[in-house]
Amino acid sequence: MPKSVTEAEVISQRQLAQNVYMLTVCAPKIAYEAEPGMFVMLRIADGAMLLRRPLGIADVDLGKGTISIIYRQIGGGTKKLTALTSGDCVNTLGPLGSSFTLKAVRPLIIGGGLGLAPLLYYAKCVEQSDVLMGGRTASEMFWTSLFKPYVKNLYVTTDDGTMGEQGFAIDMLPQILTKNSYDCLIACGPPTMMQLAAKIAKDNDLPCQVSLERRMACGLGACLSCSVDMADGRQKKVCQDGPVFWAQEVWA
Amino acid sequence: MPKSVTEAEVISQRQLAQNVYMLTVCAPKIAYEAEPGMFVMLRIADGAMLLRRPLGIADVDLGKGTISIIYRQIGGGTKKLTALTSGDCVNTLGPLGSSFTLKAVRPLIIGGGLGLAPLLYYAKCVEQSDVLMGGRTASEMFWTSLFKPYVKNLYVTTDDGTMGEQGFAIDMLPQILTKNSYDCLIACGPPTMMQLAAKIAKDNDLPCQVSLERRMACGLGACLSCSVDMADGRQKKVCQDGPVFWAQEVWA
Amino acid sequence: MNKDNSLCVKIADLTLNTPVLAASGTFGYGEEFADFVDFAKLGGVTVKGTTLKPRRGNKGVRVAETPAGMLNSIGLQNPGAEYFIENILPRIKKLPTNIIVNISASAADEYGELAKILDVDGVDALEVNVSCPNVKDGGIVFGTDPKALFSVTEAVKKNTKKPVIVKLSPNVTDIKITAKAAEDAGADALSLINTLIGMDIDIETRQPILGNVTGGLSGAAVLPVALYMVHEAYKTVKIPIIGMGGITKAEDAAKFFIAGARAVAVGTANFSDPGVTMKIVVGLQKYLRERNLASIGELTGTLAVPKEGM
Amino acid sequence: MNKDNSLCVKIADLTLNTPVLAASGTFGYGEEFADFVDFAKLGGVTVKGTTLKPRRGNKGVRVAETPAGMLNSIGLQNPGAEYFIENILPRIKKLPTNIIVNISASAADEYGELAKILDVDGVDALEVNVSCPNVKDGGIVFGTDPKALFSVTEAVKKNTKKPVIVKLSPNVTDIKITAKAAEDAGADALSLINTLIGMDIDIETRQPILGNVTGGLSGAAVLPVALYMVHEAYKTVKIPIIGMGGITKAEDAAKFFIAGARAVAVGTANFSDPGVTMKIVVGLQKYLRERNLASIGELTGTLAVPKEGM
Ligand SMILES: Cc1cc2nc3c(=O)[nH]c(=O)nc-3n(C[C@H](O)[C@H](O)[C@H](O)COP(=O)(O)OP(=O)(O)OC[C@H]3O[C@@H](n4cnc5c(N)ncnc54)[C@H](O)[C@@H]3O)c2cc1C
Ligand SMILES: Cc1cc2nc3c(=O)[nH]c(=O)nc-3n(C[C@H](O)[C@H](O)[C@H](O)COP(=O)(O)OP(=O)(O)OC[C@H]3O[C@@H](n4cnc5c(N)ncnc54)[C@H](O)[C@@H]3O)c2cc1C
Ligand SMILES: Cc1cc2nc3c(=O)[nH]c(=O)nc-3n(C[C@H](O)[C@H](O)[C@H](O)COP(=O)(O)O)c2cc1C
Ligand SMILES: Cc1cc2nc3c(=O)[nH]c(=O)nc-3n(C[C@H](O)[C@H](O)[C@H](O)COP(=O)(O)O)c2cc1C
Ligand code: FES
Ligand code: FES
C-alpha cells in the first residue's frame, strides 16, 4: 500500500456535535489507497506541534479524491484542527495501517464514541451490515444519521436513555446476536467495550476484529512507540500491523 | 509612563510596498501614553515565538485609541505578523522606552529604511519639521506621501536616483543644514547613517537625537539583553533608557 | 494579600505568600514589572546575579531565540553589591515581597565576603549562583564540582544569617551529587535548574550568534529536563527545593510541585507575558480548589510512580 | 545517485553519498521510509538499537510531546542481533545506502560479542550506543564514565573490521572527556548527541506520563545543546563527528557542519515529515551552490569565533 504525504486542501469542515467535527480534505493518492480501518496522520498547524495526530478515515469519495475524518476536540492538537476552513491546507500522511476485513458478508458493527469514525467508512464498503452504537446522550448520536444510508439495522444505546435503549452498547450485544445471524463482529471504541465484545464474539464462535489505539510518533512502523503485546507474547505495532487486529490475536 | 499589555484588536493591515506593512491596532491605554519615539512589543502568533518583537510606534489616533506600526517582513516573526487581519487580536506591550524631544521648534528629521516609522509619528507631533529621507529606489519611497501632511520640506534621496537626488541621505545633509536653520536633528535609521548624522550635527553645533536598536527580550529594563555602551563608559538599556538617546551621550 | 492562604509556603525561615518566585536575571530588581504584578502575590523577587565588583557583562549580541526557548549570554552585568545595597535595595525592600539576592563570585572566600556584605536588612535570602554558564569565572566550576560547591556553600553559610539557597547547574552528569553536596554543606534550600549550555550559529557569517559564543538555554524547551532534575534532587535531599526551568503556566508549575518542589520560579516566560506570574498564582489556586487540596504543600512530592518504575 | 558530488563525504572507510544519515531509533530499518526517500541520497540508515538477546522494551506510554520536542522511552525493543542478521539484514543490505547498526549492551565483553556477531557482510559500520537513557543496563554508565567508555570502545574495535562510531551522551558534565576517551580507545568517529534525560507528569493522575518514568528528550528543543556539544567535541578530537539533535532543515544541518560535523543525522524530524532527509539534502546542495563551495567538507569546522570569544 503506497503511502504518501501531501498538502491536502481542506474541502469542508463542519461541526457535527459539541466538540466533534468532520473534516474533508482533497488527497487523491490517499483516497485511492485507503481501505476501511486505516488512518491518516495530520500535521498540526503546519508543524506548530511536533507530532502528527492519528485519525481514522471515516469516509472516502473516490470520484472527488477526498477523504473525511471525524474527530473530537480533546486537546491542543485537535483544537488547532478546528481552525481549518476550506481552502486551507493540512499536511496529511497516509493511508496507514491495516484494514477491516471485507470478506464478511453479514457483519455486525459495534462502536462507541469516536470509534465509530472508521466504522462509518467500513459500513459504506460492505453490503449488508448492522450497527450497534453506544453513546452518552442523544445529542452525541449524530452518528445514526451518518450510518443510516449504509446499514440494514441500527441499534442504539445511550447511558441516559435519551435515545435508543438505556445502558451500554455492549449490554445489548448478546441479544442482537440472537436476533440475526452474523458472520463477523467488527468493533471500535473504548478498550473495555472491545474486550467485552471480543469475549462475547468468542462465546458465540464469531470471528471478531478490533481497532486499537496507542500513542504514535511515526505511524510508519519505525519508532516502536505503539507497541502492543499479543496474546501469544509477540509484540506488534499498532500503526503498521494494526490498528485492526483479530481479537483472538490480542486477547487469548 | 504606565505600561500595559493588551490583546489589541487589529483594525487594519495594509501593504505599503514589497514586504512593508502598516498595522493598526486598537490599544487605547497604549495610545494615551505613547510619545513619539517609543515602541511596542508584539507577541507573535499568540506565543508561537517565545520572544516578542519590538516595533516603533508610527502613528497614534487618540480619538480612536489606535496605534499604528510600520514594519518590514524580514524574518519568521514579521512574516507571521503579515497574517493578521482586522478582527484578529495581537498581544501588545507598551508603550516602551524614551521619546524624541518635543522641545525642538524647528527640527530636521533624517531617516532611512524602517527607521522612518517612529519618525512619522514624531513629524506628526511637531509643528514645523523638515524631513530628509533615503531609500534604495523609488518604489520604497511610499514614505513621501506618509510624511507630506506633517512636514514643511521633504528631501529625498535614492541609491539609484529613481526619486529625488541620487545618493545617500547623509550626503545631502550638510547642504540642507545650510539652506534652513534648525534647532535639532532627529535621526533614525542604519547605524552608520545615525553616527554620521551625529557627527555632522556636532560639527554644526546642533543637538541631535538618535534611536538605537538592539536585540531585546523583556523590553522593560529587566534582562539586560539590550545593553549599550555610552561614550563615557556607562552602560544603558536601549529598551528603557532609549531607544532615543542624545547623540553626544552615545558617541563622544 | 489575597485571603486565600492555600499557596503560603515556608522555605527555611522564609515565608512566601505564594510559592511563585521570579527567577534571577529575568525580572530585573522587580520594579520593572510593577505595572504588571501585585508583589503581595509574588513569593519573592530574585534579583539579577550580583557580584562584589560591578561587571559589564558580555559584548555583542546577548540573546537569541531558539525553538520554544532562548539563549542568553548576558554575563552577569550588574552594578556590584555595594551599589545595590546603597541605591537599589532601599527602594525595593519596601515591596511587599521577599527580596532574594542571587550572588556570583570566582572563589569561595569571595562568595563569603559577598554574603557578609549582603547580610543587611531588606535582603530576605541569598541564592548562591554556582552555575552561571556565561562568564568564565561565573561559578560553573563550583556548580559541577561537588567539593568546590561544598566549600562555596559553607563559606556563604558562615557569613550570613539569611536563608541560603544554592542554585544548581543542570550541566552535570548527576544532579544528585551536587544536590547532596549543597545540603551537606548546610544549604537551607536548593533551586534548580539554571540554564543548559547551548549555542547558535549564523549560517551566513558562520559566526556564533551570541557575542560570547555560547549561552544559557532556558524556556519551555528545557522543562522536561528541569522536571527530571527536580525530581532527582527531591529523592536525594531533605531541604526544600525551588523548581524552575520552562514554566509558562500553572499546569507547568503543578508538575514541579508534584515532582518535589516546595516553590517554583518563573524566568523566561516573563518576557512573553510580564503578568504571567500572576496568572500562575491564580491558576494554582484554582487547581487546588478543584481537587480539594487545602494547601500547595499537599502537592509537593506526590508523584505516583507505578511500581515497575525506577 | 545524484550527479552533484558536492555532498559526498568519508567517515573513516565509509563513503557517504550525502552526509545526511537517519538517526537510530527513528527510522526503523529504513524500509519503513521507502515511500518517502531515495536511499541513494541518504548517507546511511542507522538501525534501531540492537542487543545480543531480543528485548521487549518498556511498558506503558512510550512517547510524549513537549514544547518543540518529544520524550521517548522505547527502551531498546528489538529482535536481537541474530534475528536481525538472518531476517532483516538480507533485505536491507540491498538498499543503495550504508547500513549502520546501533548496538547496546550491559558489559564491555557483551559489546565485543555483539560487534563480532555483526561483523558480517551488509553491515557497513557499527554505532556504539553508550548512552541510552531508557534502560537500566542500556549503557548510560558507559556514556558518562570515561573509563568504562574506553573499555567498551576497545572491546568493539577488537572484534570488528567495520568502522566504529561511538555515540556520546549529552548527560555529562564535560563532553570533551568522553569524546577524548572514545578517540583514545580507537573510535573511528563520534556521533552526538543522544537524548537528554527528561520527564513529564500528568497533573490529573500525578503519575509520570511515560511508563518508564523518565525518557529521552529530542527534537528542535535540544538543538542549541547539541550544537554546543558538537563544537566542543570538534575542538577536542581529530576523528570525524556525526552531529545530530534537533535537525529539522538544511539550515540546521549547516550549523552542525560549521560547528565541526563531518556528517549529520536526522531523528525526530522524520516523524513530522518522513521526507525531511531528502529536503535537507537538496537544501544543503543549494546552500553550497549559493556560496560557491565545492564540497560540504569545506564547511566543516569553519566557525569564525571572534577573538574575544572562549
Ligand atoms: C490509529 C488511531 C486512530 C484514531 N482515530 C481517531 C478518530 O478517528 N477520531 C478521533 O477523534 N480520534 C482518533 N484517535 C485519537 C486521536 O489521535 C487523539 O485524540 C489525538 O491525537 C489527540 O490530540 P490532541 O493534541 O488534541 O490531544 P493531546 O492530549 O493534547 O495530545 C497529546 C499527545 O498525546 C497523543 N495522544 C493523545 N491521545 C492519543 C490517542 N488516543 N492515541 C494516540 N495518540 C494520542 C497525541 O498524539 C499527542 O502527542 C485515533 C488514534 C489512533 C492511534
Ligand atoms: C526599539 C526597536 C524598534 C524597532 N522598530 C521597528 C519598526 O518600526 N519597524 C520595523 O520593521 N522594525 C523595527 N525594529 C526591528 C524589528 O524588531 C525586527 O526587524 C524584528 O524583531 C525581526 O523579527 P523577525 O522574527 O521577523 O526576524 P528574525 O531575524 O527571525 O528574528 C530573530 C530574533 O532576532 C531578534 N531581532 C532581529 N532583528 C532585530 C532587531 N533589529 N532588533 C531587535 N531584535 C531583533 C528578534 O527579536 C528575534 O528574537 C525595531 C527594533 C527595535 C529594537
Ligand atoms: C536573560 C536571563 C538572565 C539570567 N540571569 C541569571 C542570573 O543572573 N543568575 C542566575 O542564577 N540565573 C540567571 N538566569 C537563569 C534563570 O534564573 C533560570 O534559572 C533559567 O532561565 C531557567 O528558568 P526559565 O526557563 O523559567 O527561564 C538567567 C536567565 C535568563 C533567561
Ligand atoms: C523514538 C526514538 C528512539 C530512539 N532510539 C535510539 C536507539 O535505539 N539508539 C540510539 O543510539 N539512539 C536512539 N535515539 C536517539 C536518536 O538517534 C538521536 O540521537 C536523538 O533523538 C537526537 O536527534 P533528533 O533530535 O534529531 O531526534 C532515539 C530517539 C527517538 C526519538
Ligand atoms: S508509531 Fe512509530 S512504530 Fe508505530
Ligand atoms: S530588553 Fe530586557 S533590559 Fe532591555
Side-chain angles (χ1 to χ4, degrees):
Chain A
M1 203 71 49
K3 304 171 185 89
S4 61
V5 59
T6 68
E7 288 293 338
E9 191 186 327
V10 173
I11 302 302
S12 67
Q13 160 126 273
R14 105 188 136 89
Q15 186 158 6
L16 300 180
Q18 210 196 339
N19 293 329
V20 180
Y21 299 79
M22 183 187 238
L23 178 70
T24 301
V25 302
C26 184
K29 274 199 199 170
I30 299 176
Y32 300 162
E33 304 292 343
E35 304 276 347
M38 293 182 172
F39 63 102
V40 292
M41 285 182 94
L42 301 188
R43 188 150 75 180
I44 305 296
D46 211 22
M49 293 179 132
L50 187 136
L51 296 179
R52 289 171 181 270
R53 300 304 195 252
L55 295 155
I57 295 170
D59 197 10
V60 166
D61 186 323
L62 257 190
K64 295 192 181 134
T66 62
I67 58 167
S68 299
I69 59 161
I70 300 176
Y71 66 96
R72 188 194 298 277
Q73 180 199 316
I74 199 171
T78 45
K79 173 92 191 280
K80 282 192 197 284
L81 280 184
T82 64
L84 291 171
T85 53
S86 59
D88 290 346
C89 280
V90 57
N91 190 288
T92 307
L93 168 66
L96 305 171
S98 63
S99 52
F100 295 117
T101 178
L102 291 174
K103 280 183 289 191
V105 176
R106 183 85 180 92
L108 174 64
I109 296 169
I110 171 168
L114 269 297
L116 286 159
L119 293 174
L120 179 61
Y121 180 37
Y122 178 70
K124 193 178 172 184
C125 291
V126 291
E127 291 283 312
Q128 273 229 334
S129 64
D130 289 353
V131 67
L132 164 59
M133 55 175 71
R136 272 177 296 185
T137 186
S139 65
E140 283 183 7
M141 297 315 282
F142 56 86
W143 293 107
T144 51
S145 49
L146 291 174
F147 274 87
K148 212 160 257 168
Y150 307 128
V151 297
K152 217 173 142 200
N153 298 302
L154 204 146
Y155 304 98
V156 179
T157 65
T158 50
D159 297 1
D160 62 2
T162 47
M163 185 189 265
E165 298 275 310
Q166 178 164 7
F168 296 126
I170 199 74
D171 300 333
M172 249 183 111
L173 180 57
Q175 177 189 341
I176 293 171
L177 289 181
T178 56
K179 249 197 265 186
N180 312 290
S181 101
Y182 300 101
D183 61 348
C184 195
L185 192 61
I186 302 286
C188 188
T192 34
M193 180 226 228
M194 290 194 290
Q195 198 165 354
L196 287 170
K199 169 129 200 348
I200 296 171
K202 197 178 170 197
D203 294 346
N204 286 269
D205 273 334
L206 259 186
C208 173
Q209 284 191 321
V210 294
S211 178
L212 304 182
E213 264 191 44
R214 281 292 179 284
R215 296 233 193 175
M216 294 181 175
C218 72
L220 300 170
C223 72
L224 304 175
S225 300
C226 63
S227 229
V228 59
D229 290 349
M230 295 288 115
D232 64 0
R234 279 178 313 151
Q235 295 185 291
K236 295 225 165 176
K237 301 173 214 169
V238 171
C239 73
Q240 194 182 42
D241 306 314
V244 177
F245 294 94
W246 288 105
Q248 72 267 30
E249 273 194 285
V250 184
W251 302 293
Chain B
M1 204 71 49
K3 303 170 185 88
S4 62
V5 60
T6 67
E7 287 294 335
E9 191 187 326
V10 173
I11 302 302
S12 66
Q13 161 126 274
R14 109 188 132 88
Q15 186 159 5
L16 300 180
Q18 209 197 343
N19 292 329
V20 180
Y21 298 80
M22 182 186 242
L23 178 72
T24 302
V25 302
C26 184
K29 274 199 200 170
I30 299 176
Y32 300 161
E33 304 292 343
E35 305 277 347
M38 292 181 170
F39 64 101
V40 291
M41 283 182 96
L42 301 188
R43 188 150 76 179
I44 304 296
D46 211 22
M49 293 179 131
L50 187 137
L51 297 177
R52 290 171 180 270
R53 299 305 195 252
L55 295 156
I57 296 170
D59 197 10
V60 167
D61 186 323
L62 258 188
K64 296 191 182 135
T66 62
I67 58 167
S68 299
I69 59 160
I70 301 176
Y71 67 96
R72 188 195 298 279
Q73 180 199 316
I74 199 171
T78 45
K79 172 92 191 279
K80 282 192 196 283
L81 280 184
T82 64
L84 291 171
T85 54
S86 58
D88 290 346
C89 280
V90 57
N91 190 288
T92 307
L93 168 67
L96 305 171
S98 63
S99 51
F100 295 117
T101 178
L102 291 174
K103 281 182 290 192
V105 176
R106 183 84 181 93
L108 174 64
I109 296 168
I110 170 168
L114 269 296
L116 286 159
L119 293 174
L120 180 62
Y121 181 38
Y122 178 70
K124 192 179 173 184
C125 291
V126 291
E127 290 284 311
Q128 272 228 332
S129 64
D130 288 354
V131 67
L132 164 57
M133 56 176 71
R136 273 177 297 183
T137 187
S139 65
E140 283 184 5
M141 296 316 282
F142 56 87
W143 294 106
T144 53
S145 49
L146 291 174
F147 274 86
K148 213 160 255 167
Y150 307 128
V151 298
K152 219 173 140 202
N153 298 303
L154 204 145
Y155 305 97
V156 179
T157 66
T158 49
D159 297 1
D160 62 1
T162 47
M163 185 190 265
E165 299 275 309
Q166 176 164 9
F168 296 127
I170 199 75
D171 300 335
M172 251 183 108
L173 180 57
Q175 177 189 340
I176 294 171
L177 290 180
T178 56
K179 250 197 264 186
N180 313 290
S181 99
Y182 300 102
D183 62 348
C184 195
L185 192 62
I186 302 287
C188 187
T192 34
M193 181 226 228
M194 290 195 290
Q195 199 166 355
L196 287 170
K199 169 129 198 351
I200 295 170
K202 197 181 172 195
D203 294 345
N204 286 270
D205 274 335
L206 258 186
C208 173
Q209 283 190 323
V210 294
S211 178
L212 304 183
E213 263 191 46
R214 281 291 180 285
R215 295 233 194 174
M216 295 181 175
C218 74
L220 300 169
C223 72
L224 304 176
S225 300
C226 63
S227 230
V228 60
D229 291 349
M230 294 288 115
D232 65 0
R234 279 179 312 153
Q235 294 184 291
K236 295 225 164 174
K237 301 172 214 169
V238 170
C239 73
Q240 194 182 43
D241 307 315
V244 177
F245 294 94
W246 288 104
Q248 70 267 29
E249 273 194 285
V250 185
W251 301 292
Chain C
M1 199 17 228
N2 49 325
K3 282 176 212 122
D4 181 345
N5 264 336
S6 61
L7 293 186
C8 188
V9 295
K10 286 199 81 172
I11 300 273
D13 292 338
L14 208 62
T15 302
L16 312 182
N17 287 338
T18 76
V20 181
L21 304 157
S24 177
T26 66
F27 216 71
Y29 295 99
E31 310 164 301
E32 294 86 344
F33 284 77
D35 289 335
F36 305 99
V37 302
D38 171 355
F39 288 102
K41 289 193 178 143
L42 205 60
V45 171
T46 318
V47 305
K48 175 71 194 164
T50 298
T51 52
L52 218 43
K53 297 267 165 308
R55 288 188 70 113
R56 302 186 63 82
N58 291 320
K59 290 221 182 299
V61 170
R62 290 179 170 190
V63 279
E65 198 174 43
T66 69
M70 65 177 280
L71 289 163
N72 89 79
S73 65
I74 308 297
L76 291 180
Q77 177 184 335
N78 82 96
E82 249 167 59
Y83 183 95
F84 168 74
I85 291 168
E86 276 163 35
N87 298 285
I88 301 172
L89 187 59
R91 287 200 312 267
I92 65 172
K93 72 182 191 186
K94 294 179 201 140
L95 298 176
T97 191
N98 292 301
I99 299 297
I100 302 168
V101 183
N102 179 275
I103 58 171
S104 258
S106 48
D109 51 358
E110 202 182 312
Y111 272 102
E113 202 180 330
L114 248 176
K116 184 175 266 167
I117 294 176
L118 286 161
D119 200 19
V120 295
D121 183 52
V123 172
D124 297 298
L126 295 180
E127 182 178 60
V128 187
N129 181 2
V130 285
S131 46
C132 181
N134 292 324
V135 298
K136 276 195 209 69
D137 50 352
I140 190 92
V141 50
F142 302 114
T144 56
D145 172 0
K147 280 200 202 102
L149 178 60
F150 186 97
S151 55
V152 163
T153 308
E154 218 181 15
V156 173
K157 273 301 285 180
K158 263 193 206 134
N159 285 284
T160 187
K161 296 175 296 294
K162 317 278 179 193
V164 172
I165 304 158
V166 174
K167 184 161 180 181
L168 300 181
S169 165
N171 303 294
V172 294
T173 304
D174 188 350
I175 195 84
K176 296 194 292 294
I177 294 174
T178 44
K180 195 82 184 64
E183 180 179 52
D184 288 347
D188 299 295
L190 299 179
S191 63
L192 64 157
I193 59 174
N194 208 316
T195 51
L196 285 159
I197 309 180
M199 77 183 291
D200 198 3
I201 294 173
D202 181 328
I203 62 169
E204 297 307 328
T205 63
R206 298 197 215 163
Q207 287 181 353
I209 300 262
L210 296 174
N212 198 43
V213 184
T214 63
L217 184 66
S218 63
V222 309
L223 188 143
V225 175
L227 198 60
Y228 162 69
M229 292 196 165
V230 164
H231 188 57
E232 287 289 294
Y234 177 74
K235 290 188 295 180
T236 310
V237 300
K238 295 206 169 57
I239 50 177
I241 291 167
I242 302 169
M244 72 190 84
I247 296 175
T248 68
K249 50 185 189 289
E251 290 77 4
D252 295 340
K255 291 178 185 180
F256 279 87
F257 289 109
I258 295 167
R262 185 80 61 91
V264 296
V266 180
T268 305
N270 293 302
F271 305 155
S272 321
D273 178 2
V276 69
T277 47
M278 297 298 105
K279 291 181 190 156
I280 292 173
V281 165
V282 172
L284 284 175
Q285 280 165 341
K286 184 159 167 277
Y287 178 86
L288 294 180
R289 220 167 34 238
E290 286 173 357
R291 281 156 194 82
N292 282 315
L293 294 168
S295 87
I296 190 81
E298 290 180 33
L299 208 56
T300 294
T302 56
L303 184 72
V305 178
K307 36 184 181 355
E308 277 250 345
M310 37 152 258
Chain D
M1 197 22 224
N2 51 321
K3 284 178 211 118
D4 182 345
N5 263 336
S6 62
L7 292 186
C8 187
V9 295
K10 285 198 81 172
I11 300 272
D13 291 339
L14 209 61
T15 302
L16 313 182
N17 287 338
T18 77
V20 181
L21 304 157
S24 176
T26 66
F27 217 70
Y29 294 99
E31 309 163 302
E32 294 86 344
F33 284 77
D35 289 336
F36 305 99
V37 302
D38 171 355
F39 288 102
K41 290 193 177 143
L42 206 60
V45 170
T46 319
V47 305
K48 175 72 194 165
T50 298
T51 52
L52 217 42
K53 297 265 163 313
R55 288 188 71 114
R56 301 187 65 82
N58 291 320
K59 291 221 182 297
V61 170
R62 291 179 169 191
V63 280
E65 198 174 44
T66 70
M70 66 176 279
L71 289 163
N72 90 78
S73 65
I74 309 296
L76 291 181
Q77 177 185 335
N78 81 95
E82 249 167 61
Y83 184 94
F84 168 75
I85 291 168
E86 276 163 36
N87 298 285
I88 301 173
L89 186 60
R91 286 201 311 269
I92 64 173
K93 73 180 188 186
K94 295 180 201 140
L95 299 175
T97 191
N98 292 301
I99 300 297
I100 302 168
V101 183
N102 180 274
I103 57 171
S104 258
S106 48
D109 50 358
E110 202 182 315
Y111 272 102
E113 200 179 332
L114 248 176
K116 185 175 265 167
I117 294 178
L118 286 161
D119 200 19
V120 295
D121 183 53
V123 172
D124 297 298
L126 295 180
E127 182 178 60
V128 187
N129 181 3
V130 284
S131 46
C132 181
N134 291 326
V135 298
K136 277 196 207 70
D137 52 352
I140 191 91
V141 51
F142 302 114
T144 57
D145 173 358
K147 280 199 204 104
L149 179 58
F150 186 97
S151 54
V152 164
T153 308
E154 219 180 13
V156 172
K157 272 302 284 182
K158 263 194 206 132
N159 285 285
T160 186
K161 294 174 298 294
K162 317 278 179 193
V164 171
I165 305 158
V166 174
K167 184 161 180 181
L168 300 180
S169 166
N171 303 295
V172 294
T173 305
D174 189 350
I175 195 84
K176 296 194 290 295
I177 294 174
T178 42
K180 196 82 187 61
E183 181 180 51
D184 288 347
D188 298 296
L190 299 179
S191 62
L192 65 158
I193 60 173
N194 209 315
T195 52
L196 285 158
I197 308 179
M199 78 184 289
D200 198 4
I201 293 174
D202 182 327
I203 64 169
E204 297 308 328
T205 63
R206 298 197 215 164
Q207 286 180 353
I209 300 262
L210 295 175
N212 197 44
V213 184
T214 63
L217 184 66
S218 63
V222 310
L223 187 142
V225 174
L227 199 58
Y228 162 70
M229 292 197 165
V230 164
H231 188 57
E232 288 288 293
Y234 178 73
K235 291 188 295 180
T236 309
V237 300
K238 292 205 172 56
I239 50 177
I241 292 168
I242 301 169
M244 73 191 83
I247 296 175
T248 68
K249 49 185 189 289
E251 290 78 5
D252 295 341
K255 292 178 185 180
F256 279 87
F257 289 109
I258 295 168
R262 185 80 61 91
V264 296
V266 180
T268 304
N270 293 302
F271 304 155
S272 322
D273 178 2
V276 69
T277 46
M278 297 298 105
K279 291 182 190 156
I280 292 173
V281 165
V282 172
L284 285 175
Q285 280 166 340
K286 183 157 168 278
Y287 178 86
L288 294 180
R289 219 167 34 236
E290 287 173 357
R291 283 154 193 84
N292 281 315
L293 295 168
S295 87
I296 191 82
E298 292 179 32
L299 208 57
T300 294
T302 57
L303 184 73
V305 178
K307 36 187 179 353
E308 278 248 345
M310 38 151 255

